[in-house]
Amino acid sequence: MIAMNGNKKTIVIPGDFLGYSEEYLPGKNTMEVNSKIISASFGEVVKNDRELVASVDNGIRKIYPKNEDIIYGRIVKNDSRQVSIQIVGIEKSGKVEKYFADGYIRNVQDYKRDERKVQTIHIGDLIRGRIIRVGQNLEITLNGKRLGVLKSRCSRCSEVLVLKNGALFCENCNRSEMRKIAPDYSAPEFVEMER
Ligand SMILES: [Zn+2]
């Protein structure tokens, strides 16, 4: 149950008074000081009037990645031995949540070069991948219909590559580059994922 103050949610900062300890038990993100329950976090007051617990929801959710989850990330290393990914988002219940973790692609040769010996992913690329193994780092694959590069920059001049006749093209250098692109390459929502 969310405590109502009129019709507004009650937002508190650390040190704010939530109630007396004879009314409520101190819940999550609170502490008890001299029979008063005090917020220990920034967040929204949640008073459970059935169990008589006052707590503060600070909005931080623990995310547990699992196999088949879709992730978003940036290629940070791509050499003959390893492709490393800085993961920045994960899809949970159809929504992209912020999520930071390290990932890697093991079967590098699948994406690194195609039969024409051109690179199909590049350092800096924003990708959508799928988790195939959960360990200390997450193993990622780009094999799948929705998967691949979402945004990429020219390896020569760093301009954002645009999709032209099914291939990626740098309008600055007037040349194309090969990537394993996702079907929605350069959709506007991915521009803001760039940090
Ligand atoms: Zn260029």
Side-chain angles (χ1 to χ4, degrees):
M1 194 181 292
I2 294 166
M4 294 293 181
N5 179 5
N7 275 325
K8 290 202 312 273
K9 294 169 178 174
T10 307
I11 302 296
V12 290
I13 60 169
D16 278 359
F17 170 74
L18 302 180
Y20 290 98
S21 52
E22 51 269 30
E23 303 171 278
Y24 291 100
L25 293 167
K28 226 175 153 188
N29 300 315
T30 71
M31 53 196 175
E32 195 181 328
V33 180
N34 302 329
S35 309
K36 290 175 182 169
I37 300 170
I38 305 291
S39 175
S41 176
F42 176 86
E44 187 182 311
V45 177
V46 181
K47 282 181 176 166
N48 183 325
D49 287 318
R50 208 158 48 98
E51 290 164 28
L52 300 175
V53 177
S55 49
V56 175
D57 179 358
N58 60 12
I60 296 172
R61 306 267 177 273
K62 209 144 171 48
I63 291 175
Y64 298 97
K66 56 178 184 18
N67 281 357
E68 301 300 315
D69 279 350
I70 297 296
I71 59 89
Y72 294 80
R74 180 170 304 280
I75 307 288
V76 290
K77 186 178 173 196
N78 182 14
D79 61 29
S80 54
R81 300 200 333 268
Q82 202 186 0
V83 173
S84 303
I85 304 164
Q86 172 64 62
I87 296 169
V88 298
I90 190 167
E91 275 185 19
K92 286 287 185 189
S93 318
K95 243 180 68 198
V96 181
E97 310 265 6
K98 263 196 185 141
Y99 177 68
F100 298 98
D102 292 318
Y104 64 96
I105 295 173
R106 199 159 46 146
N107 294 320
V108 180
Q109 59 284 1
D110 291 0
Y111 315 107
K112 190 171 161 54
R113 295 178 184 283
D114 68 7
E115 29 332 316
R116 285 164 296 173
K117 305 278 181 227
V118 287
Q119 259 191 358
T120 53
I121 48 176
H122 194 269
I123 287 184
D125 285 355
L126 178 66
I127 57 110
R128 180 195 285 121
R130 179 165 50 88
I131 299 173
I132 51 175
R133 204 176 77 87
V134 177
Q136 199 177 10
N137 296 332
L138 301 171
E139 184 175 350
I140 304 302
T141 182
L142 297 183
N143 274 333
K145 257 202 308 217
R146 292 180 63 213
L147 309 182
V149 174
L150 294 163
K151 189 176 177 190
S152 185
R153 288 176 180 275
C154 174
S155 56
R156 193 183 285 171
C157 77
S158 297
E159 271 288 305
V160 174
L161 297 171
V162 296
L163 198 55
K164 212 173 178 181
N165 305 323
L168 295 184
F169 188 74
C170 176
E171 291 176 321
N172 191 35
C173 305
N174 215 27
R175 57 190 271 276
S176 333
E177 294 200 7
M178 286 295 298
R179 296 287 191 276
K180 196 279 184 201
I181 57 171
D184 50 348
Y185 178 86
S186 84
E189 61 262 40
F190 302 118
V191 174
E192 68 191 49
M193 290 185 86
E194 190 162 47
R195 291 183 301 156

PDB file of all heavy atoms in Angstrom, residues 1 28 48 50 55 70 72 74 85 88 94 108 114 127 133 140 144 152 163-164 166 174:
ATOM      1  N   MET A   1       0.850  -1.207   0.000  1.00  0.00           N
ATOM      2  CA  MET A   1       0.000   0.000   0.000  1.00  0.00           C
ATOM      3  C   MET A   1       0.881   1.251   0.000  1.00  0.00           C
ATOM      4  O   MET A   1       1.839   1.325   0.750  1.00  0.00           O
ATOM      5  CB  MET A   1      -0.906  -0.013   1.233  1.00  0.00           C
ATOM      6  CG  MET A   1      -2.021   0.997   1.138  1.00  0.00           C
ATOM      7  SD  MET A   1      -3.033   0.958   2.623  1.00  0.00           S
ATOM      8  CE  MET A   1      -3.793  -0.653   2.427  1.00  0.00           C
ATOM      9  N   LYS A  28      12.198  -1.775   5.063  1.00  0.00           N
ATOM     10  CA  LYS A  28      13.334  -1.601   4.162  1.00  0.00           C
ATOM     11  C   LYS A  28      13.715  -0.126   4.023  1.00  0.00           C
ATOM     12  O   LYS A  28      12.841   0.736   3.909  1.00  0.00           O
ATOM     13  CB  LYS A  28      12.937  -2.125   2.770  1.00  0.00           C
ATOM     14  CG  LYS A  28      13.981  -3.007   2.142  1.00  0.00           C
ATOM     15  CD  LYS A  28      13.457  -3.582   0.845  1.00  0.00           C
ATOM     16  CE  LYS A  28      14.613  -3.873  -0.076  1.00  0.00           C
ATOM     17  NZ  LYS A  28      14.172  -4.247  -1.411  1.00  0.00           N
ATOM     18  N   ASN A  48       2.699  -0.319   5.008  1.00  0.00           N
ATOM     19  CA  ASN A  48       1.861  -1.509   4.959  1.00  0.00           C
ATOM     20  C   ASN A  48       1.017  -1.530   6.239  1.00  0.00           C
ATOM     21  O   ASN A  48       1.522  -1.817   7.320  1.00  0.00           O
ATOM     22  CB  ASN A  48       2.755  -2.754   4.857  1.00  0.00           C
ATOM     23  CG  ASN A  48       1.947  -4.024   4.741  1.00  0.00           C
ATOM     24  OD1 ASN A  48       0.871  -4.151   5.324  1.00  0.00           O
ATOM     25  ND2 ASN A  48       2.472  -4.971   3.987  1.00  0.00           N
ATOM     26  N   ARG A  50      -1.414  -3.424   7.063  1.00  0.00           N
ATOM     27  CA  ARG A  50      -1.850  -4.738   7.544  1.00  0.00           C
ATOM     28  C   ARG A  50      -0.758  -5.322   8.444  1.00  0.00           C
ATOM     29  O   ARG A  50      -1.023  -5.774   9.535  1.00  0.00           O
ATOM     30  CB  ARG A  50      -2.109  -5.660   6.351  1.00  0.00           C
ATOM     31  CG  ARG A  50      -3.135  -6.731   6.626  1.00  0.00           C
ATOM     32  CD  ARG A  50      -3.736  -7.224   5.311  1.00  0.00           C
ATOM     33  NE  ARG A  50      -2.671  -7.514   4.350  1.00  0.00           N
ATOM     34  CZ  ARG A  50      -2.180  -8.740   4.124  1.00  0.00           C
ATOM     35  NH1 ARG A  50      -2.662  -9.765   4.769  1.00  0.00           N
ATOM     36  NH2 ARG A  50      -1.227  -8.922   3.244  1.00  0.00           N
ATOM     37  N   SER A  55       8.216   1.505   5.199  1.00  0.00           N
ATOM     38  CA  SER A  55       9.483   1.356   4.491  1.00  0.00           C
ATOM     39  C   SER A  55       9.572   2.391   3.383  1.00  0.00           C
ATOM     40  O   SER A  55       8.639   3.162   3.142  1.00  0.00           O
ATOM     41  CB  SER A  55       9.629  -0.070   3.955  1.00  0.00           C
ATOM     42  OG  SER A  55       8.470  -0.448   3.264  1.00  0.00           O
ATOM     43  N   ILE A  70      17.305 -10.699 -23.759  1.00  0.00           N
ATOM     44  CA  ILE A  70      17.880  -9.812 -24.773  1.00  0.00           C
ATOM     45  C   ILE A  70      18.622  -8.686 -24.061  1.00  0.00           C
ATOM     46  O   ILE A  70      18.097  -8.085 -23.122  1.00  0.00           O
ATOM     47  CB  ILE A  70      16.752  -9.222 -25.657  1.00  0.00           C
ATOM     48  CG1 ILE A  70      16.029 -10.347 -26.422  1.00  0.00           C
ATOM     49  CG2 ILE A  70      17.292  -8.168 -26.619  1.00  0.00           C
ATOM     50  CD1 ILE A  70      16.862 -11.096 -27.418  1.00  0.00           C
ATOM     51  N   TYR A  72      21.401  -5.118 -24.442  1.00  0.00           N
ATOM     52  CA  TYR A  72      21.916  -4.051 -25.282  1.00  0.00           C
ATOM     53  C   TYR A  72      23.289  -3.687 -24.764  1.00  0.00           C
ATOM     54  O   TYR A  72      23.499  -3.636 -23.553  1.00  0.00           O
ATOM     55  CB  TYR A  72      20.996  -2.828 -25.226  1.00  0.00           C
ATOM     56  CG  TYR A  72      19.645  -3.111 -25.848  1.00  0.00           C
ATOM     57  CD1 TYR A  72      18.666  -3.794 -25.131  1.00  0.00           C
ATOM     58  CD2 TYR A  72      19.380  -2.743 -27.158  1.00  0.00           C
ATOM     59  CE1 TYR A  72      17.440  -4.095 -25.720  1.00  0.00           C
ATOM     60  CE2 TYR A  72      18.154  -3.033 -27.750  1.00  0.00           C
ATOM     61  CZ  TYR A  72      17.195  -3.712 -27.023  1.00  0.00           C
ATOM     62  OH  TYR A  72      15.998  -4.014 -27.597  1.00  0.00           O
ATOM     63  N   ARG A  74      27.626  -2.240 -25.892  1.00  0.00           N
ATOM     64  CA  ARG A  74      28.577  -1.663 -26.833  1.00  0.00           C
ATOM     65  C   ARG A  74      29.797  -2.568 -26.941  1.00  0.00           C
ATOM     66  O   ARG A  74      30.266  -3.088 -25.937  1.00  0.00           O
ATOM     67  CB  ARG A  74      28.995  -0.279 -26.313  1.00  0.00           C
ATOM     68  CG  ARG A  74      29.983   0.457 -27.183  1.00  0.00           C
ATOM     69  CD  ARG A  74      30.128   1.875 -26.700  1.00  0.00           C
ATOM     70  NE  ARG A  74      28.797   2.508 -26.686  1.00  0.00           N
ATOM     71  CZ  ARG A  74      28.204   3.002 -27.770  1.00  0.00           C
ATOM     72  NH1 ARG A  74      28.791   2.966 -28.922  1.00  0.00           N
ATOM     73  NH2 ARG A  74      27.015   3.540 -27.664  1.00  0.00           N
ATOM     74  N   ILE A  85      31.898  -6.957 -24.576  1.00  0.00           N
ATOM     75  CA  ILE A  85      30.724  -6.087 -24.663  1.00  0.00           C
ATOM     76  C   ILE A  85      30.479  -5.440 -23.306  1.00  0.00           C
ATOM     77  O   ILE A  85      30.452  -6.131 -22.283  1.00  0.00           O
ATOM     78  CB  ILE A  85      29.463  -6.896 -25.053  1.00  0.00           C
ATOM     79  CG1 ILE A  85      29.700  -7.655 -26.365  1.00  0.00           C
ATOM     80  CG2 ILE A  85      28.242  -5.992 -25.169  1.00  0.00           C
ATOM     81  CD1 ILE A  85      28.672  -8.750 -26.599  1.00  0.00           C
ATOM     82  N   VAL A  88      24.628  -2.422 -21.281  1.00  0.00           N
ATOM     83  CA  VAL A  88      24.018  -1.249 -20.637  1.00  0.00           C
ATOM     84  C   VAL A  88      22.514  -1.407 -20.418  1.00  0.00           C
ATOM     85  O   VAL A  88      21.898  -0.609 -19.728  1.00  0.00           O
ATOM     86  CB  VAL A  88      24.288   0.051 -21.443  1.00  0.00           C
ATOM     87  CG1 VAL A  88      25.775   0.349 -21.510  1.00  0.00           C
ATOM     88  CG2 VAL A  88      23.692  -0.017 -22.846  1.00  0.00           C
ATOM     89  N   GLY A  94       9.437  -7.275 -21.723  1.00  0.00           N
ATOM     90  CA  GLY A  94       9.251  -6.437 -22.907  1.00  0.00           C
ATOM     91  C   GLY A  94       9.722  -5.005 -22.764  1.00  0.00           C
ATOM     92  O   GLY A  94       9.538  -4.195 -23.666  1.00  0.00           O
ATOM     93  N   VAL A 108      33.945 -15.828 -32.058  1.00  0.00           N
ATOM     94  CA  VAL A 108      34.268 -14.555 -32.696  1.00  0.00           C
ATOM     95  C   VAL A 108      34.172 -14.656 -34.212  1.00  0.00           C
ATOM     96  O   VAL A 108      33.613 -13.790 -34.866  1.00  0.00           O
ATOM     97  CB  VAL A 108      35.690 -14.126 -32.302  1.00  0.00           C
ATOM     98  CG1 VAL A 108      36.040 -12.815 -32.952  1.00  0.00           C
ATOM     99  CG2 VAL A 108      35.799 -14.028 -30.802  1.00  0.00           C
ATOM    100  N   ASP A 114      33.184 -12.173 -42.319  1.00  0.00           N
ATOM    101  CA  ASP A 114      32.380 -13.073 -43.127  1.00  0.00           C
ATOM    102  C   ASP A 114      33.293 -13.682 -44.183  1.00  0.00           C
ATOM    103  O   ASP A 114      34.510 -13.504 -44.153  1.00  0.00           O
ATOM    104  CB  ASP A 114      31.163 -12.353 -43.722  1.00  0.00           C
ATOM    105  CG  ASP A 114      31.546 -11.325 -44.760  1.00  0.00           C
ATOM    106  OD1 ASP A 114      32.746 -11.244 -45.122  1.00  0.00           O
ATOM    107  OD2 ASP A 114      30.647 -10.592 -45.213  1.00  0.00           O
ATOM    108  N   ILE A 127      24.976  -2.859 -29.938  1.00  0.00           N
ATOM    109  CA  ILE A 127      24.383  -4.106 -30.424  1.00  0.00           C
ATOM    110  C   ILE A 127      23.191  -4.541 -29.568  1.00  0.00           C
ATOM    111  O   ILE A 127      23.059  -4.148 -28.413  1.00  0.00           O
ATOM    112  CB  ILE A 127      25.416  -5.266 -30.442  1.00  0.00           C
ATOM    113  CG1 ILE A 127      26.039  -5.501 -29.052  1.00  0.00           C
ATOM    114  CG2 ILE A 127      26.520  -4.998 -31.464  1.00  0.00           C
ATOM    115  CD1 ILE A 127      25.622  -6.768 -28.403  1.00  0.00           C
ATOM    116  N   ARG A 133      24.770 -17.855 -22.033  1.00  0.00           N
ATOM    117  CA  ARG A 133      25.341 -18.479 -20.851  1.00  0.00           C
ATOM    118  C   ARG A 133      25.520 -17.428 -19.773  1.00  0.00           C
ATOM    119  O   ARG A 133      26.040 -16.344 -20.044  1.00  0.00           O
ATOM    120  CB  ARG A 133      26.688 -19.131 -21.167  1.00  0.00           C
ATOM    121  CG  ARG A 133      27.054 -20.254 -20.185  1.00  0.00           C
ATOM    122  CD  ARG A 133      28.349 -20.927 -20.595  1.00  0.00           C
ATOM    123  NE  ARG A 133      29.503 -20.106 -20.245  1.00  0.00           N
ATOM    124  CZ  ARG A 133      30.099 -20.151 -19.049  1.00  0.00           C
ATOM    125  NH1 ARG A 133      29.679 -20.981 -18.118  1.00  0.00           N
ATOM    126  NH2 ARG A 133      31.137 -19.381 -18.810  1.00  0.00           N
ATOM    127  N   ILE A 140      27.235 -13.890 -24.984  1.00  0.00           N
ATOM    128  CA  ILE A 140      26.229 -13.277 -25.845  1.00  0.00           C
ATOM    129  C   ILE A 140      26.351 -13.845 -27.255  1.00  0.00           C
ATOM    130  O   ILE A 140      27.454 -14.112 -27.726  1.00  0.00           O
ATOM    131  CB  ILE A 140      26.467 -11.740 -25.905  1.00  0.00           C
ATOM    132  CG1 ILE A 140      26.472 -11.120 -24.504  1.00  0.00           C
ATOM    133  CG2 ILE A 140      25.453 -11.057 -26.815  1.00  0.00           C
ATOM    134  CD1 ILE A 140      25.217 -11.327 -23.702  1.00  0.00           C
ATOM    135  N   GLY A 144      20.274 -14.452 -34.569  1.00  0.00           N
ATOM    136  CA  GLY A 144      18.850 -14.355 -34.305  1.00  0.00           C
ATOM    137  C   GLY A 144      18.273 -13.207 -35.112  1.00  0.00           C
ATOM    138  O   GLY A 144      18.992 -12.262 -35.452  1.00  0.00           O
ATOM    139  N   SER A 152      26.305   2.240 -35.536  1.00  0.00           N
ATOM    140  CA  SER A 152      27.717   2.022 -35.795  1.00  0.00           C
ATOM    141  C   SER A 152      28.341   3.284 -36.365  1.00  0.00           C
ATOM    142  O   SER A 152      27.649   4.113 -36.957  1.00  0.00           O
ATOM    143  CB  SER A 152      27.848   0.863 -36.789  1.00  0.00           C
ATOM    144  OG  SER A 152      29.194   0.549 -36.981  1.00  0.00           O
ATOM    145  N   LEU A 163      22.133   3.628 -43.208  1.00  0.00           N
ATOM    146  CA  LEU A 163      21.736   2.469 -44.007  1.00  0.00           C
ATOM    147  C   LEU A 163      21.377   2.947 -45.418  1.00  0.00           C
ATOM    148  O   LEU A 163      20.559   3.839 -45.601  1.00  0.00           O
ATOM    149  CB  LEU A 163      20.527   1.811 -43.335  1.00  0.00           C
ATOM    150  CG  LEU A 163      20.178   0.388 -43.720  1.00  0.00           C
ATOM    151  CD1 LEU A 163      21.376  -0.545 -43.530  1.00  0.00           C
ATOM    152  CD2 LEU A 163      19.008  -0.092 -42.868  1.00  0.00           C
ATOM    153  N   LYS A 164      22.051   2.364 -46.410  1.00  0.00           N
ATOM    154  CA  LYS A 164      21.819   2.776 -47.792  1.00  0.00           C
ATOM    155  C   LYS A 164      21.840   1.531 -48.657  1.00  0.00           C
ATOM    156  O   LYS A 164      22.839   0.818 -48.682  1.00  0.00           O
ATOM    157  CB  LYS A 164      22.937   3.742 -48.209  1.00  0.00           C
ATOM    158  CG  LYS A 164      22.516   4.801 -49.190  1.00  0.00           C
ATOM    159  CD  LYS A 164      23.653   5.790 -49.375  1.00  0.00           C
ATOM    160  CE  LYS A 164      23.289   6.851 -50.403  1.00  0.00           C
ATOM    161  NZ  LYS A 164      24.389   7.792 -50.609  1.00  0.00           N
ATOM    162  N   GLY A 166      20.638  -1.324 -48.195  1.00  0.00           N
ATOM    163  CA  GLY A 166      20.920  -2.546 -47.438  1.00  0.00           C
ATOM    164  C   GLY A 166      22.328  -2.640 -46.885  1.00  0.00           C
ATOM    165  O   GLY A 166      22.682  -3.639 -46.268  1.00  0.00           O
ATOM    166  N   ASN A 174      32.386   8.560 -48.043  1.00  0.00           N
ATOM    167  CA  ASN A 174      31.848   8.019 -49.279  1.00  0.00           C
ATOM    168  C   ASN A 174      32.244   6.555 -49.492  1.00  0.00           C
ATOM    169  O   ASN A 174      32.673   6.166 -50.577  1.00  0.00           O
ATOM    170  CB  ASN A 174      32.322   8.875 -50.465  1.00  0.00           C
ATOM    171  CG  ASN A 174      31.249   8.961 -51.529  1.00  0.00           C
ATOM    172  OD1 ASN A 174      30.061   8.846 -51.224  1.00  0.00           O
ATOM    173  ND2 ASN A 174      31.660   9.136 -52.772  1.00  0.00           N
TER     174      ASN A 174
END
